[in-house]
Amino acid sequence: MDSWIWWLLAAVGLGIPLVITAMPELAMFAVGALVAAGVAGLGADPVWQVLTFVVASVAQLVVVRPIAYRALRKGPQIKMGIEALKGATAVVAERVDAQGGRIKLNGEIWSARALHPEQVYQPGEQVDVVEIQGATALVV
C-alpha cells in the first residue's frame, strides 16, 4: 500500500477523536497528516514525509492555536444586569427632575433623576438611561 494512503488514514484517525473530544489540536495534527499525504503522493522519501508532518503540525500549533484561543476567550460581549440597562430607552411615569421621579424601564418602575439639574421631564416623554446609581437611573 502506498504511503500517502497511510497518511490519509492517519488524518482520518486523528479526525475521529477530534469529533469526539472537541480538541482543536487534533485537527492541526490531522491537517499535518494531509500535508504529509500530499508530499508522499509527490513521491518524497519517508523521512521528508515525517518532517513535513512535524513541521506542518508544529507550525499550526505555534501560529493558529494562539489566534484561535484569543478569539475564543474574547467571545461575544453580552451585557447583563445594570450594564444592560445603560443606553436603554424609558418612559417617564412621574415627573423627573434633579430631585427625583419615576420612569418605566423594561416594564418595571424605577426611581430616576435627571442627569442635568436644569432638565425636567414630564410623564409620557421618552428618556435615555445614562447611568444607574444604586436603584436610581440617571436619565437624559
Side-chain angles (χ1 to χ4, degrees):
M1 193 180 306
D2 292 332
S3 60
W4 65 272
I5 294 174
W6 287 110
W7 284 111
L8 286 179
L9 290 173
V12 171
L14 289 165
I16 292 171
L18 165 68
V19 173
I20 294 170
T21 63
M23 287 181 56
E25 291 83 4
L26 291 173
M28 295 174 198
F29 290 125
V31 170
L34 288 175
V35 173
V39 170
L42 294 174
D45 286 342
V47 172
W48 284 106
Q49 294 171 26
V50 171
L51 275 173
T52 303
F53 169 74
V54 170
V55 169
S57 299
V58 170
Q60 289 180 80
L61 287 173
V62 170
V63 176
V64 176
R65 187 175 181 266
I67 295 169
Y69 275 103
R70 235 187 335 264
L72 284 175
R73 250 184 280 127
K74 185 177 180 183
Q77 297 298 327
I78 299 173
K79 294 182 179 180
M80 298 179 69
I82 292 174
E83 292 298 318
L85 298 176
K86 291 180 183 177
T89 302
V91 177
V92 176
E94 294 176 13
R95 177 187 150 121
V96 175
D97 56 19
Q99 312 315 319
R102 299 261 187 255
I103 60 171
K104 189 168 189 173
L105 176 62
N106 290 345
E108 297 178 349
I109 300 295
W110 280 70
S111 60
R113 211 171 55 236
L115 180 64
H116 306 293
E118 67 278 356
Q119 285 287 345
V120 176
Y121 303 101
Q122 298 302 327
E125 285 186 62
Q126 284 194 345
V127 293
D128 292 323
V129 177
V130 176
E131 186 178 340
I132 304 288
Q133 290 182 343
T136 303
L138 298 180
V139 298
V140 292

